[in-house]
Amino acid sequence: MSWWKAVGIALTQLLNALCGGWPDESTSSRLYRLELQGSETGGTLRQAVDAVFGAGHCERAFMHERARRQHPPELR
């Protein structure tokens, strides 16, 4: 994993923790999960993030979290 990608993951996890989320989940993953749980705010913000980072970004982030792809291979 590149240094930039690692820092990006760390920053999105920090943002999520600052907003009251789990410290090891990305903001994008959380927005997708909240939308699945019926949150209108999560859905609206998810659409905004997907508009910036590309369609399906939050869903992919959620699937990566579930597969633990952000973890080192030794921890998967």
Side-chain angles (χ1 to χ4, degrees):
M1 176 183 311
S2 74
W3 182 85
W4 288 107
K5 186 171 184 177
V7 170
I9 290 169
L11 291 174
T12 189
Q13 289 176 337
L14 175 61
L15 176 62
N16 186 48
L18 290 171
C19 292
W22 300 330
D24 194 33
E25 181 180 31
S26 71
T27 304
S28 299
S29 173
R30 180 181 183 201
L31 293 175
Y32 186 78
R33 182 174 51 79
L34 289 174
E35 183 178 28
L36 289 178
Q37 295 171 349
S39 168
E40 288 185 37
T41 303
T44 302
L45 292 173
R46 194 260 327 141
Q47 290 174 354
V49 170
D50 278 355
V52 172
F53 292 103
H57 169 81
C58 292
E59 181 179 7
R60 284 190 304 277
F62 176 77
M63 299 310 274
H64 286 182
E65 291 282 354
R66 293 195 66 190
R68 297 177 181 236
R69 290 186 187 152
Q70 78 279 14
H71 292 291
E74 298 85 6
L75 297 178
R76 291 184 199 156

